[in-house]
Amino acid sequence: MGCQNLVQLLLTISLVAFMIYSSSAVNHDTLYTICSQTQNEEICVQILESDPRTKNSTLPQLALISINLTREQANKNYKNFRHFQANTSAGSLRRSYGKCVTIYQQMIHKINDAYLLSQQKRYKDIHQLGQAQTLAYNCENGLPLNSTTAADTETMILTCESSRSVNFYIASSIPES
């Protein structure tokens, strides 16, 4: 009985510590710690700070902000690919853009799923952001090297990675139950 009470006490203390930790505003050092796990730390911080709410956000809010930034970029790219597909006469390029349209539809669904999980604070269950990043690579790999969409696709990959890093950071901060 005493061991069970000790375990419950430790879990309660861990939960309270996480609640205090996650309720304070994210500082610049925390952003750099989060972004240190990405391809480009500076761009990751720039992406996260592109939303003015970031500087006053808690970690759970930052998770939602980062996923929303990812969703915004995915929607922008989806519209661009639809536009290019509709306005391209070259058959192979049109098919490539069409594949990217389909890929971005899948990506947007995955990002929306990640957002719902983040709202529920189920950070350890969020795997969709890595899947979305893989989809962005799949789109990029199906396009010619000189594609006019290369910059947007690279931004999508980096935004997915930034959001993924935020959620991984939070998930690793949650005590095991």
Side-chain angles (χ1 to χ4, degrees):
M1 186 84 152
C3 187
Q4 185 180 16
N5 288 341
L6 180 61
V7 169
Q8 286 178 329
L9 178 64
L10 289 173
L11 286 174
T12 302
I13 290 171
S14 295
L15 183 59
V16 169
F18 176 72
M19 288 171 56
I20 291 169
Y21 177 69
S22 66
S23 65
S24 58
V26 175
N27 62 37
H28 207 63
D29 290 340
T30 302
L31 288 180
Y32 274 94
T33 299
I34 289 168
C35 291
S36 69
Q37 303 304 310
T38 64
Q39 293 177 48
N40 190 317
E41 188 175 329
E42 292 294 325
I43 290 177
C44 172
V45 171
Q46 288 173 8
I47 289 168
L48 296 174
E49 289 182 336
S50 71
D51 187 309
R53 298 173 297 166
T54 294
K55 70 177 181 178
N56 295 316
S57 68
T58 61
L59 282 173
Q61 290 167 338
L62 181 62
L64 293 171
I65 289 167
S66 71
I67 296 171
N68 196 52
L69 289 167
T70 306
R71 180 172 32 203
E72 288 172 3
Q73 185 65 45
N75 283 322
K76 175 186 172 198
N77 288 13
Y78 171 75
K79 289 175 186 169
N80 286 344
F81 282 116
R82 277 188 38 213
H83 172 78
F84 287 128
Q85 181 189 22
N87 295 297
T88 300
S89 58
S92 63
L93 190 54
R94 179 179 274 234
R95 281 188 297 280
S96 294
Y97 287 142
K99 287 179 184 175
C100 285
V101 167
T102 301
I103 286 170
Y104 271 87
Q105 287 171 331
Q106 295 169 3
M107 189 185 306
I108 290 166
H109 287 297
K110 290 188 179 301
I111 294 166
N112 287 337
D113 290 346
Y115 191 87
L116 291 173
L117 289 169
S118 186
Q119 284 180 314
Q120 298 167 7
K121 299 185 182 349
R122 293 175 50 198
Y123 307 106
K124 292 184 179 190
D125 295 331
I126 299 174
H127 306 288
Q128 295 84 350
L129 298 169
Q131 295 165 354
Q133 185 177 2
T134 299
L135 288 169
Y137 276 114
N138 291 345
C139 171
E140 181 180 53
N141 291 337
L143 295 170
L145 292 176
N146 61 350
S147 173
T148 58
T149 61
D152 284 341
T153 303
E154 184 62 24
T155 300
M156 184 74 239
I157 290 166
L158 294 171
T159 305
C160 284
E161 185 181 42
S162 300
S163 185
R164 184 177 170 200
S165 188
V166 168
N167 283 277
F168 180 78
Y169 179 84
I170 296 170
S172 65
S173 301
I174 298 171
E176 291 295 326
S177 48

